[in-house]
Amino acid sequence: MSVITAKYIRLSSEDDDLGKSGKIESNSVTNQRNLLDTFISRTPELADTSVIEFCDDGWSGKNFERPAVQEMIAQARAGKIQCIVVKDLSRFGRDYLTVGNYISCVFPFLGVRFIAVNDGFDSIRPADVDSLETSFKTLLYDLYSRDLSRKVRSAKKFRAQRGDFLAPFAPYGYVKDPKDKTRLAIDPEAAETVRRIFQLTADGHSADQIAMTLNRETVPTPMLYKRAAGCSRTHWPSIEENNFWTDTAVVKILRDERYLGKNIFGKRIRDRVGHTHTVKVSREDWIAVENTHEGIVTREEFDCAQATIRKYVERGEMKKHDWPLRGKIRCGVCGHAMSYKLGKQMYFYCFTPHFNDAFTCVKRITETEILDVISEGLHVQAQMAVELGRLWEEQHREQKKDASAQRKALARLRETHQRLSQQINGLYESFALGEISKPEYLAAKASAAKQRDDAAARIRELEAALENMDADGSLRNGFVSTFGKYLDVKEITSEITTEVLKEVLVFPDNRFEIVWNYRDELQKLILDLQGDHQNGA
C-alpha cells in the first residue's frame, strides 16, 4: 500500500525581517526543504513513500488560515496523507492551544503520523504526544511569536516616525526611489493624471463626472497602469482584470494626503497577532511625517478638493440599514455592487453608467422582486438538501461503511493509478525502442488509460465519501445541514441570507443568477451518492 508523506514548510515575514541580520538563516525555505528531504531519505519507513510538499511563504505561525496548511489538513482529513514532517513545532504553528489540539487529538484521530525533526517529536511514540516537554515547547513558541510580533511592530513604528515609506508598493503617481526604497519618487506620467483629477475637482466636476472623462479617454486605471509598468503585486482589489475608473477610485486619490509629500503610517492595524484581518485606527493615532518626498499637489489644491468632496459626500450619503440583501446584490453586466434607494418600496440600480457609458446596466429592480426569487430558490435548495440527505441515509443503512476500510481502499486505488500511469509511460518506451508495433502500443495504451481513468473516478468518489462521513458514521455535509432547516421558511431574514447566500447577479432582462453557499459540499455529496449507486451500495 502506497503511503503519502507531506513535508510542510513555513517562512513568515518576521523571519524575513530578522533574517537580514543573519539571526535565523536556518529557517529559510531552502534550508527547511533540504533538512526534511534528508530526514525522510534516512528514515527507513518514510524513504519509499510518495512525498508531497506544502509551503506557506510569508505567513505567521499564529494564523492557521494559511492556504498551504489548510490544504494539507484537508487532504489529511480525506485520508490522502498518512504522515506530516516539519522542521520543528514552530514551523507548523505558534498558537499553543491550536498546535496542541492537532498533535494530541486531530492527527491521532485521523491516523496521521506527525514528526517535528529538530524537536525530536514523533507522534508514533505516545509519550511524545502527552509529554510536559512538548507542551512546554509549544507554549514557548506561542510566547516567542507574541514577543516577536511586538518587537517587529515597534521597529516599524520607529522607522515610520523617522519618515521611512514602509508599504510594499508605492501609491499611484509615485515609484520607490531606486537609490533608497524607503523614499518615494514622482512617476511623471501617473502624477500628471493625479494633478488633472485635482484640477477637474477644483473646476467643479464631481467624482463620477471625472471618472466618466477618464474612461472615455481610455486613461489606464491605477491597477492597469501599475501592471503595465511591471508591478509585481498579485492581488488587486478589483472585481475584474480590465477594470475602469469609478467615483470611488477618484475620491480615494483626492483624499490621499501622501500627494502632499507626507508619509502616513498606521491607518489600520491587525486585531490579532498573526492574522491578516485589520481594523481602522483613529486619525489622531496615525503616524504622519511631513516633507518625506516631493508632493504632486499643493496644500491649497488639496484643501480645495476636500471641501468639494465633503459637500458631494454629504449630499449623497444615506443612513445604513440592516436588511437581508445588504451587500449581496451585484450587477450582472459590469459586476459592481448595486446601489439602493430607500422609500415606500426599496429598489436597486447600477451606478456604473454614471461614470462609464460603455455599459448598459440594470436601471431598476425592486427589493420585493429579488426577495421573491430568492425565496423560491431557497425552497428548491431546501427540498434538494432534504432529499439528498434521505438518499444518503438509505444507502448507508443498506451497506454500513467503515471509514478505515475506505481509507485503505483509497490507498490501494492511488497505488493502482500510479502503477497504470507508469505502465503507460513504459509502453511508449517499448514502442519507441521498436519492441512492440504501433497497433499493439495503441491498443495496450487505450486499455491501460481506461483502467487508470476508472481508478481516478473511483478515487474522487471515495474522497467525497470520506469527507461526507463523520467519525460515528453519520452524514457530515454543510449543504444538507444548512439548507435542510429552511424547508418551511416564510420570510427571508438577514440571518438566512448571511448563512446561505453568497450573492445575486441581476441582469437587464430581469434575469437573476443566484450564487448559493456550500456549492462544494453539494458536489461532494452528489459524487458520493453516484459512486455508491454505481458500485451497488
Side-chain angles (χ1 to χ4, degrees):
M1 182 176 68
S2 178
V3 175
I4 298 179
T5 298
K7 54 182 181 182
Y8 177 73
I9 297 168
R10 181 182 65 81
L11 184 71
S12 71
S13 55
E14 288 86 354
D15 292 333
D16 183 59
D17 289 340
L18 293 177
K20 294 174 183 177
S21 61
K23 290 183 179 180
I24 50 174
E25 181 182 348
S26 63
N27 279 339
S28 72
V29 169
T30 301
N31 285 328
Q32 287 184 64
R33 181 179 294 118
N34 291 339
L35 173 71
L36 299 183
D37 286 340
T38 300
F39 175 83
I40 291 171
S41 65
R42 293 179 179 177
T43 304
E45 62 269 34
L46 300 180
D48 295 328
T49 62
S50 300
V51 180
I52 55 178
E53 179 179 298
F54 298 89
C55 179
D56 282 314
D57 197 348
W59 288 82
S60 168
K62 294 287 290 181
N63 183 1
F64 268 84
E65 297 303 315
R66 291 166 265 151
V69 84
Q70 284 293 308
E71 174 62 22
M72 180 178 71
I73 292 171
Q75 291 195 27
R77 291 186 186 278
K80 299 179 183 179
I81 294 172
Q82 289 73 46
C83 181
I84 296 174
V85 185
V86 298
K87 172 180 173 284
D88 53 45
L89 292 168
S90 71
R91 293 301 97 192
F92 178 61
R94 292 184 182 273
D95 186 299
Y96 170 66
L97 294 176
T98 305
V99 172
N101 180 56
Y102 273 109
I103 64 178
S104 64
C105 298
V106 178
F107 291 147
F109 171 76
L110 296 174
V112 175
R113 182 180 178 184
F114 184 82
I115 300 172
V117 178
N118 283 357
D119 288 324
F121 176 90
D122 190 340
S123 64
I124 204 170
R125 299 188 293 264
D128 284 9
V129 176
D130 299 320
S131 71
L132 181 62
E133 181 182 0
T134 298
S135 299
F136 188 61
K137 281 182 178 178
T138 56
L139 177 59
L140 281 180
Y141 288 140
D142 192 331
L143 295 174
Y144 172 76
S145 180
R146 295 176 187 274
D147 183 58
L148 181 62
S149 177
R150 180 183 57 81
K151 289 178 179 177
V152 169
R153 185 175 294 181
S154 177
K156 286 185 175 180
K157 183 177 180 180
F158 171 76
R159 293 174 60 194
Q161 288 173 333
R162 73 182 184 188
D164 288 356
F165 180 77
L166 301 180
F169 303 102
Y172 179 68
Y174 288 100
V175 294
K176 288 188 177 183
D177 191 330
K179 298 179 181 179
D180 184 356
K181 298 298 183 181
T182 66
R183 293 289 180 267
L184 293 176
I186 287 181
D187 179 350
E189 184 178 348
E192 186 56 40
T193 301
V194 172
R195 292 191 187 97
R196 187 181 178 200
I197 289 173
F198 275 90
Q199 184 58 54
L200 288 170
T201 304
D203 292 341
H205 295 275
S206 65
D208 51 299
Q209 290 172 338
I210 295 172
M212 177 70 83
T213 299
L214 296 175
N215 286 324
R216 284 175 174 170
E217 297 176 5
T218 64
V219 176
T221 63
M223 183 189 86
L224 296 178
Y225 180 83
K226 289 277 189 178
R227 184 177 288 167
C231 180
S232 61
R233 184 173 181 175
T234 56
H235 174 71
W236 296 85
S238 174
I239 63 171
E240 53 187 28
E241 288 298 309
N242 294 313
N243 67 346
F244 47 83
W245 286 93
T246 65
D247 56 343
T248 302
V250 171
V251 170
K252 183 177 179 181
I253 287 175
L254 293 172
R255 289 203 182 280
D256 197 334
E257 295 182 72
R258 291 175 296 184
Y259 294 124
L260 290 168
K262 179 192 297 188
N263 266 350
I264 309 290
F265 179 81
K267 296 173 72 171
R268 302 186 69 88
I269 189 172
R270 294 182 181 181
D271 53 353
R272 290 177 60 191
V273 175
H275 286 247
T276 56
H277 183 264
T278 60
V279 294
K280 290 182 178 180
V281 175
S282 298
R283 186 180 181 86
E284 56 267 23
D285 294 325
W286 296 356
I287 297 175
V289 182
E290 304 276 357
N291 302 318
T292 56
H293 52 271
E294 183 181 352
I296 293 178
V297 298
T298 65
R299 167 57 70 177
E300 291 73 22
E301 291 172 325
F302 187 84
D303 289 343
C304 177
Q306 303 319 296
T308 304
I309 296 173
R310 196 169 296 116
K311 293 177 183 177
Y312 170 75
V313 172
E314 288 175 354
R315 187 167 59 248
E317 70 179 10
M318 56 179 66
K319 184 179 179 181
K320 291 183 178 180
H321 292 263
D322 183 27
W323 36 275
L325 300 182
R326 183 172 182 77
K328 300 288 186 179
I329 311 303
R330 193 173 293 278
C331 176
V333 178
C334 70
H336 281 76
M338 295 182 68
S339 303
Y340 64 90
K341 188 170 182 61
L342 299 174
K344 291 182 178 180
Q345 188 177 46
M346 178 188 290
Y347 67 87
F348 292 84
Y349 62 97
C350 186
F351 201 73
T352 294
H354 286 77
F355 42 76
N356 193 328
D357 51 13
F359 291 88
T360 54
C361 299
V362 181
K363 294 182 178 180
R364 177 183 174 122
I365 189 78
T366 66
E367 179 190 40
T368 302
E369 291 176 273
I370 300 176
L371 287 175
D372 287 344
V373 172
I374 292 174
S375 181
E376 182 180 347
L378 179 58
H379 185 66
V380 172
Q381 297 293 308
Q383 286 181 315
M384 188 189 307
V386 172
E387 181 63 20
L388 291 177
R390 183 186 62 78
L391 288 173
W392 192 93
E393 295 292 348
E394 284 184 0
Q395 289 187 1
H396 282 246
R397 274 199 302 269
E398 295 173 6
Q399 180 178 344
K400 286 290 183 183
K401 296 199 173 177
D402 178 12
S404 177
Q406 287 196 314
R407 287 195 180 96
K408 291 179 181 178
L410 184 59
R412 288 194 297 270
L413 279 167
R414 290 199 182 107
E415 188 175 8
T416 299
H417 186 274
Q418 183 177 12
R419 176 177 54 77
L420 288 167
S421 297
Q422 293 172 348
Q423 181 180 331
I424 291 172
N425 292 334
L427 286 170
Y428 178 76
E429 292 177 5
S430 297
F431 168 64
L433 294 172
E435 297 174 358
I436 58 175
S437 66
K438 184 175 181 180
E440 290 175 323
Y441 162 67
L442 293 175
K445 178 187 175 184
S447 175
K450 183 180 184 309
Q451 295 178 58
R452 183 192 60 185
D453 294 344
D454 290 343
R458 184 57 183 151
I459 286 171
R460 291 192 294 270
E461 291 165 0
L462 280 177
E463 288 174 348
L466 285 168
E467 291 185 28
N468 284 322
M469 188 187 301
D470 220 330
D472 60 358
S474 61
L475 176 61
R476 178 186 64 194
N477 185 275
F479 174 79
V480 171
S481 61
T482 301
F483 283 89
K485 61 189 178 185
Y486 294 125
L487 185 61
D488 299 316
V489 68
K490 302 299 182 184
E491 180 184 2
I492 302 297
T493 65
S494 298
E495 291 73 18
I496 293 176
T497 55
T498 298
E499 188 170 28
V500 305
L501 186 64
K502 182 177 181 181
E503 64 182 10
V504 178
L505 298 176
V506 184
F507 296 86
D509 54 357
N510 275 11
R511 181 169 57 89
F512 301 88
E513 182 179 322
I514 303 177
V515 183
W516 302 103
N517 292 329
Y518 300 100
R519 294 295 87 193
D520 290 342
E521 285 81 352
L522 172 60
Q523 292 303 317
K524 289 174 185 175
L525 183 58
I526 293 174
L527 187 60
D528 184 6
L529 291 169
Q530 289 175 340
D532 285 344
H533 178 72
Q534 293 169 1
N535 290 279

